[in-house]
């Protein structure tokens, strides 16, 4: 299977729990209306609405020339007694092309462990649902020189069960926790250092080429071009700036150049 983002710049919007149904539908409609400006040969777009809105947004995106539907999280089992969860199978039924796992708001806000996040990712990958695996350190961890150690710990349970069949279905999102939703974007040097460390970690553990790495954390139209110009960056996972069609499409246009 070849991924729809292969060789392209990726811009995925994470709508979190920010929008009601009406606002989510308006946003999707406006993204579709502006999509013509985006070169789909160069940029791959995706949006992750609330799971309650997947059906409505899927219907709107059926008219899209390529914007992918994604989930914000996924459970590793096909079905079962897991109150409040959505299985990879249920997400595939809604044509989700990928799911996020391990977003910092789940790791740090809801205490999801590295092994739980890895279990989510592996269950999806084993069943053909692509994964955007979020990782990143807190400010305290960075300031105490533990960035690399933390990234290694976050990947450890996943990489110990890695299978090369998963490669085309996997994307990494490096999101330093202190840059998410704070307006405090990491410097280009910090992004480069973290992405290079991830590439080295990947090669040393799997002997494979590293999958695409997105940067996330206060990405906006006015800082994205220079971030994307870094060789180590393959796109962005975007929160706040993905909630307005104008700014999301401006990011998409930068990714198209
Ligand atoms: P932000 O969020 O762009 O609002 O910083 C990024 C994210 O949560 O993925």
């Amino acid at each position: 299977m070849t991924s729809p983002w292969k060789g392209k710049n990726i811009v995925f919007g994470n709508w979190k729990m920010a929008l009601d149904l009406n606002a989510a539908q308006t946003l999707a409609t406006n993204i579709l209306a502006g999509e013509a400006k985006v070169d789909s040969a160069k940029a791959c777009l995706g949006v992750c609405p609330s799971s309650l809105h997947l059906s409505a947004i899927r219907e709107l995106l059926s008219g899209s020339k390529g914007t992918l539907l994604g989930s914000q999280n996924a459970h590793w089992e096909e079905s079962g007694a897991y109150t409040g969860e959505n299985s990879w199978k249920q997400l595939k039924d809604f044509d989700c092309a990928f799911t996020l796992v391990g977003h910092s708001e789940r790791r740090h806000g809801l205490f999801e462990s590295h092994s739980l996040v890895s279990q989510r990712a592996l269950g999806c990958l084993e069943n053909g649902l692509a994964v955007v695996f979020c990782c990143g350190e807190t400010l305290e961890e960075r300031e105490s020189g533990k960035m690399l150690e933390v990234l290694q710990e976050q990947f450890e349970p996943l990489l110990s069960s890695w299978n090369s069949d998963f490669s085309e279905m996997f994307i990494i999102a490096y999101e330093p926790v202190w840059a998410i939703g704070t307006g405090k974007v990491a410097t280009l040097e910090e992004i480069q250092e973290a992405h290079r460390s991830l590439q080295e970690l990947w090669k040393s553990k799997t002997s494979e080429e590293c999958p695409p790495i997105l940067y996330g954390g206060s990405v906006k139209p006015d800082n994205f071009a220079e971030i994307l110009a870094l060789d180590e960056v393959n796109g962005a996972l975007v929160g706040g700036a993905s909630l307005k069609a104008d700014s999301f499409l401006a990011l998409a246009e930068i990714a198209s150049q």
Side-chain angles (χ1 to χ4, degrees), residues 14 16 103 105 175 179-182 216-219 237-241:
N14 174 8
K16 309 190 181 184
H103 189 279
E105 285 146 19
E175 301 199 295
I180 298 176
T182 57
S218 301
V219 171
L237 180 57
V238 189

Side-chain angles (χ1 to χ4, degrees), residues 54-69:
L54 285 172
S55 171
I57 303 304
R58 169 173 74 160
E59 212 174 303
L60 290 167
L61 290 187
S62 64
S64 156
K65 49 171 205 163
T67 300
L68 304 174
L69 187 62

Side-chain angles (χ1 to χ4, degrees), residues 28-152:
T29 305
N30 291 340
I31 290 173
L32 251 71
E35 237 187 7
K37 288 183 264 176
V38 181
D39 182 349
S40 58
K42 293 194 179 145
C44 177
L45 308 185
V47 294
C48 303
S50 151
S51 51
L52 291 172
H53 300 162
L54 285 172
S55 171
I57 303 304
R58 169 173 74 160
E59 212 174 303
L60 290 167
L61 290 187
S62 64
S64 156
K65 49 171 205 163
T67 300
L68 304 174
L69 187 62
S71 169
Q72 298 177 16
N73 199 17
H75 195 276
W76 58 91
E77 291 287 353
E78 178 171 348
S79 63
Y82 298 101
T83 303
E85 291 281 335
N86 299 305
S87 78
W88 54 264
K89 171 71 168 60
Q90 291 168 325
L91 298 170
K92 284 177 79 172
D93 286 346
F94 280 98
D95 296 330
C96 284
F98 67 91
T99 183
L100 311 183
V101 299
H103 189 279
S104 124
E105 285 146 19
R106 301 205 64 91
R107 288 183 191 271
H108 298 98
L110 296 167
F111 307 108
E112 290 201 1
S113 66
H114 305 330
S115 63
L116 182 83
V117 171
S118 159
Q119 201 170 3
R120 291 187 184 283
L122 291 166
C124 293
L125 294 166
E126 279 156 11
N127 291 289
L129 180 62
V131 165
V132 178
F133 189 92
C134 305
C135 62
E137 80 289 353
T138 63
L139 188 57
E140 201 187 339
E141 288 161 345
R142 170 167 281 270
E143 284 175 347
S144 55
K146 291 197 177 133
M147 189 258 296
L148 182 56
E149 198 181 313
V150 169
L151 295 178
Q152 280 170 344

Side-chain angles (χ1 to χ4, degrees), residues 7-28:
K8 299 182 190 176
N9 293 319
I10 300 165
V11 181
F12 287 168
N14 174 8
W15 296 355
K16 309 190 181 184
M17 203 177 69
L19 304 172
D20 64 18
L21 176 60
N22 190 36
Q25 285 173 309
T26 304
L27 177 55

